């Protein structure tokens, strides 16, 4: 019995980390649908896309922040480059940070909003240019929760 328990523990410790896909929502950016993994709690926002080796076209991560949050994103422990889209609660694009590279050495650049915002979208690098997104564009995020998370 002990050997089975040790085998299970060893397999769990040695198993490669596989990202678990959380809740998803499909949103339209320009004329393209994106399946976005939604992260709305502190732990999942902190983990983000760290360690992921690929972010396929048409996918991304959508961070939902509590009211009054001034989102700040850094690329520590990232493997891939991303486009960052900072979005106000009303769906207006407030900031764009295209082609953000991973950060290998501290200190890492911090990409931060000028003021409180509700959402940050992380998209495959090159998506902002390909879609022609601009600051001031309005995104339809009506399918997302009307109320921000509490934490």
């Amino acid at each position: 019995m002990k050997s089975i328990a040790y085998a299970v523990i060893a397999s769990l410790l040695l198993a490669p980390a596989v990202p678990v896909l959380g809740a998803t929502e499909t949103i339209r950016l320009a004329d393209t649908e994106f399946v976005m993994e939604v992260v709305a709690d502190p732990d999942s926002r902190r983990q983000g896309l760290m360690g992921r080796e690929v972010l396929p076209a048409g996918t991304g991560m959508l961070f939902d922040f509590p009211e009054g949050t001034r989102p700040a994103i850094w690329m520590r422990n990232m493997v891939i480059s991303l486009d960052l889209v900072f979005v106000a609660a009303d769906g207006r694009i407030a900031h764009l940070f295209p082609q953000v590279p991973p950060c290998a050495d501290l200190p890492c650049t911090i990409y931060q909003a000028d003021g409180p915002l509700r959402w940050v979208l992380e998209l495959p690098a090159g998506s902002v240019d390909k879609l022609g997104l601009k600051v001031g564009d309005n995104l339809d995020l009506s399918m997302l929760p009307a109320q921000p998370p509490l934490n």
Side-chain angles (χ1 to χ4, degrees), residues 94-141:
H95 302 283
L96 294 169
F97 299 100
Q99 303 284 343
V100 176
C103 175
D105 299 308
L106 294 174
C108 295
T109 301
I110 296 175
Y111 303 89
Q112 188 163 27
D114 291 338
L117 295 174
R118 170 85 188 264
W119 313 98
V120 173
L121 286 68
E122 292 185 342
L123 305 172
S127 297
V128 165
D129 289 337
K130 184 177 179 181
L131 297 168
L133 297 177
K134 294 178 182 53
V135 170
D137 286 354
N138 284 302
L139 305 179
D140 179 8
L141 302 178

Side-chain angles (χ1 to χ4, degrees), residues 56-71:
T59 67
M61 183 167 278
L62 187 142
F63 292 74
D64 189 356
F65 288 97
E67 188 172 354
T69 301
R70 186 175 161 217

